[in-house]
Amino acid sequence: MIVSERTTEKGLLVTVCDPETLGETYESGDISLTVTEEFYGGEEVTEDAVVDSLSRATIANIVGTEAVELAIEHGYVDEANVLELESTLHAQVLRLA
Protein backbone atom coordinates (compact mmCIF):
# COMPACT_ATOMS: atom_id res chain seq x y z
CA MET A 1 0.00 0.00 0.00
CA ILE A 2 1.05 3.58 -0.57
CA VAL A 3 1.02 6.00 2.37
CA SER A 4 1.54 9.74 2.63
CA GLU A 5 1.59 11.86 5.78
CA ARG A 6 1.20 15.65 5.89
CA THR A 7 1.00 17.94 8.89
CA THR A 8 -1.84 20.44 8.52
CA GLU A 9 -3.36 23.07 10.78
CA LYS A 10 -6.07 20.49 11.63
CA GLY A 11 -3.57 17.74 12.52
CA LEU A 12 -1.94 14.82 10.73
CA LEU A 13 -3.47 14.03 7.32
CA VAL A 14 -2.80 10.46 6.19
CA THR A 15 -3.62 9.10 2.74
CA VAL A 16 -3.53 5.39 1.98
CA CYS A 17 -4.21 3.68 -1.32
CA ASP A 18 -3.71 0.35 -3.02
CA PRO A 19 -0.96 0.77 -5.66
CA GLU A 20 -3.24 -0.19 -8.56
CA THR A 21 -5.69 2.63 -7.70
CA LEU A 22 -3.12 5.40 -8.16
CA GLY A 23 -3.98 7.45 -11.25
CA GLU A 24 -7.45 5.90 -11.59
CA THR A 25 -10.87 7.57 -11.43
CA TYR A 26 -13.82 5.82 -9.81
CA GLU A 27 -17.47 6.84 -10.04
CA SER A 28 -20.78 5.91 -8.46
CA GLY A 29 -23.84 8.01 -9.21
CA ASP A 30 -22.95 11.66 -8.51
CA ILE A 31 -19.68 10.74 -6.77
CA SER A 32 -16.37 10.82 -8.65
CA LEU A 33 -12.99 10.15 -7.04
CA THR A 34 -9.66 10.52 -8.83
CA VAL A 35 -6.73 8.97 -6.99
CA THR A 36 -4.06 11.51 -7.94
CA GLU A 37 -0.32 11.17 -7.44
CA GLU A 38 -0.35 14.67 -5.98
CA PHE A 39 -2.68 13.75 -3.11
CA TYR A 40 -2.26 9.98 -2.66
CA GLY A 41 1.33 9.53 -3.83
CA GLY A 42 3.86 8.52 -1.21
CA GLU A 43 5.90 5.54 -0.07
CA GLU A 44 4.98 1.91 -0.65
CA VAL A 45 4.95 0.42 2.86
CA THR A 46 4.00 -2.68 4.85
CA GLU A 47 0.62 -3.26 6.47
CA ASP A 48 2.19 -2.56 9.88
CA ALA A 49 3.36 0.86 8.67
CA VAL A 50 -0.14 1.64 7.36
CA VAL A 51 -1.66 0.73 10.73
CA ASP A 52 0.93 2.90 12.50
CA SER A 53 0.10 5.89 10.29
CA LEU A 54 -3.64 5.44 10.78
CA SER A 55 -3.15 5.23 14.55
CA ARG A 56 -1.66 8.74 14.51
CA ALA A 57 -3.98 10.29 11.91
CA THR A 58 -6.35 13.12 12.67
CA ILE A 59 -7.76 12.86 9.14
CA ALA A 60 -7.36 9.90 6.79
CA ASN A 61 -8.44 9.25 3.22
CA ILE A 62 -8.28 5.60 2.21
CA VAL A 63 -8.82 4.14 -1.27
CA GLY A 64 -8.63 0.54 -2.41
CA THR A 65 -10.17 -2.71 -1.27
CA GLU A 66 -7.04 -3.93 0.52
CA ALA A 67 -6.38 -0.61 2.28
CA VAL A 68 -9.99 -0.09 3.40
CA GLU A 69 -10.31 -3.69 4.61
CA LEU A 70 -7.12 -3.26 6.66
CA ALA A 71 -8.53 -0.08 8.23
CA ILE A 72 -11.78 -1.91 9.06
CA GLU A 73 -9.88 -4.89 10.51
CA HIS A 74 -7.96 -2.59 12.89
CA GLY A 75 -11.00 -0.57 13.94
CA TYR A 76 -10.23 2.72 12.19
CA VAL A 77 -13.22 2.51 9.84
CA ASP A 78 -16.76 1.24 10.40
CA GLU A 79 -17.76 -0.97 7.47
CA ALA A 80 -21.18 0.73 7.36
CA ASN A 81 -19.44 4.01 6.40
CA VAL A 82 -17.49 2.66 3.40
CA LEU A 83 -18.34 3.85 -0.10
CA GLU A 84 -18.29 1.40 -2.99
CA LEU A 85 -17.01 3.18 -6.09
CA GLU A 86 -17.04 0.90 -9.12
CA SER A 87 -14.44 -1.80 -8.43
CA THR A 88 -12.93 -0.29 -5.29
CA LEU A 89 -13.69 1.00 -1.80
CA HIS A 90 -13.22 4.45 -0.25
CA ALA A 91 -13.34 5.59 3.37
CA GLN A 92 -12.55 8.72 5.31
CA VAL A 93 -11.60 9.08 8.96
CA LEU A 94 -11.93 12.22 11.05
CA ARG A 95 -10.88 12.13 14.71
CA LEU A 96 -12.37 14.86 16.83
CA ALA A 97 -10.45 15.92 19.90
Side-chain angles (χ1 to χ4, degrees):
M1 283 170 263
I2 298 172
V3 172
S4 170
E5 294 185 2
R6 297 172 189 87
T7 302
T8 72
E9 63 185 40
K10 303 286 185 188
L12 181 64
L13 168 64
V14 173
T15 61
V16 182
C17 71
D18 293 356
E20 64 274 9
T21 66
L22 202 57
E24 298 293 325
T25 297
Y26 300 95
E27 297 182 348
S28 179
D30 292 339
I31 300 169
S32 179
L33 173 69
T34 300
V35 187
T36 63
E37 175 74 35
E38 179 179 278
F39 188 70
Y40 286 94
E43 288 185 54
E44 194 154 348
V45 299
T46 65
E47 287 186 0
D48 288 341
V50 170
V51 171
D52 178 63
S53 287
L54 289 174
S55 74
R56 295 180 287 106
T58 305
I59 304 165
N61 286 277
I62 309 163
V63 180
T65 302
E66 185 180 349
V68 171
E69 287 178 352
L70 182 67
I72 291 168
E73 178 185 330
H74 287 273
Y76 297 109
V77 171
D78 183 336
E79 191 169 2
N81 297 320
V82 173
L83 293 176
E84 290 185 40
L85 301 173
E86 292 180 18
S87 61
T88 198
L89 301 176
H90 173 62
Q92 294 180 314
V93 175
L94 174 61
R95 270 200 198 100
L96 301 174

